Amino acid sequence: MKIKVSDIENSESKIQTIVFSEIIPEINNEIPVNAKLTVSLLGSLVKLEGTITAVQNLTCDICLKEFTKDISLNVKEFYEKDSLNPLNSNDFEIKENSFFEDLNGSDEIDITNFIYQCIILSMPNKIVCDINCNGNEKLNEYIKKDFSDPRLEIFKNIKIEKE
């Protein structure tokens, strides 16, 4: 789903509410992702703000069990209609309020891609089904329990004499 910035510019209130309900296959979803977003125009900035809710199918990194996770996010993003770097040089200073998505004069914002990125970036690095997950018994058979190296056994018998 894409929205046109020109449609918001031409509206009387300069605000548009978007209700999103689609399946995003890239996040392994069978249930639609729902979002209610407000797009508003603030001079040369476009502010995108709202909530995203989804149910995602995941696989535990420890026991490989499949489970679902409810996701609820509050999001806020700013887009710059014009280029952030008017000189188009490779070097320019990033200031405190320079963290905007640059549309580079484009008239469209891809809402589906924005929602996809928000969901993916909210996921933890290690996905576990339960905080106390100990793994799968079948997998634990293949995990080495003894971490000692037999080549280093000789060092256990060394006696150091202090002077």
Side-chain angles (χ1 to χ4, degrees), residues 66-131:
E66 292 185 1
F67 66 101
T68 60
K69 180 180 179 182
D70 293 332
I71 299 169
S72 180
L73 304 170
N74 292 322
V75 295
K76 184 189 291 186
E77 183 76 28
F78 290 94
Y79 292 88
E80 174 68 39
K81 290 189 314 182
D82 305 318
S83 179
L84 288 173
N85 185 6
L87 303 175
N88 291 327
S89 67
N90 291 335
D91 298 328
F92 67 97
E93 182 180 355
I94 296 177
K95 297 180 180 159
E96 183 177 341
N97 297 324
S98 295
F99 294 100
F100 306 118
E101 184 74 30
D102 194 352
L103 292 177
N104 284 326
S106 174
D107 190 41
E108 290 185 333
I109 298 174
D110 188 353
I111 298 296
T112 305
N113 185 40
F114 169 74
I115 292 172
Y116 165 76
Q117 288 181 20
C118 289
I119 291 173
I120 293 301
L121 291 173
S122 72
M123 299 306 299
N125 290 336
K126 189 168 189 175
I127 299 170
V128 292
C129 60
D130 182 27
I131 196 166

Side-chain angles (χ1 to χ4, degrees), residues 14-26:
K14 308 282 190 225
I15 296 173
Q16 184 178 3
T17 301
I18 299 167
V19 178
F20 180 93
S21 183
E22 290 182 17
I23 293 175
I24 302 176
E26 290 88 2

Side-chain angles (χ1 to χ4, degrees), residues 157-163:
N157 298 328
I158 293 179
K159 296 192 183 207
I160 299 174
E161 295 180 14
K162 294 185 180 182
E163 293 181 21

Side-chain angles (χ1 to χ4, degrees), residues 119-154:
I119 291 173
I120 293 301
L121 291 173
S122 72
M123 299 306 299
N125 290 336
K126 189 168 189 175
I127 299 170
V128 292
C129 60
D130 182 27
I131 196 166
N132 297 322
C133 182
N134 292 324
N136 186 327
E137 288 182 23
K138 290 181 182 178
L139 289 176
N140 288 337
E141 292 175 13
Y142 298 103
I143 296 174
K144 186 176 180 179
K145 301 282 190 254
D146 183 20
F147 294 108
S148 64
D149 187 345
R151 296 172 295 176
L152 300 176
E153 290 294 320
I154 193 166

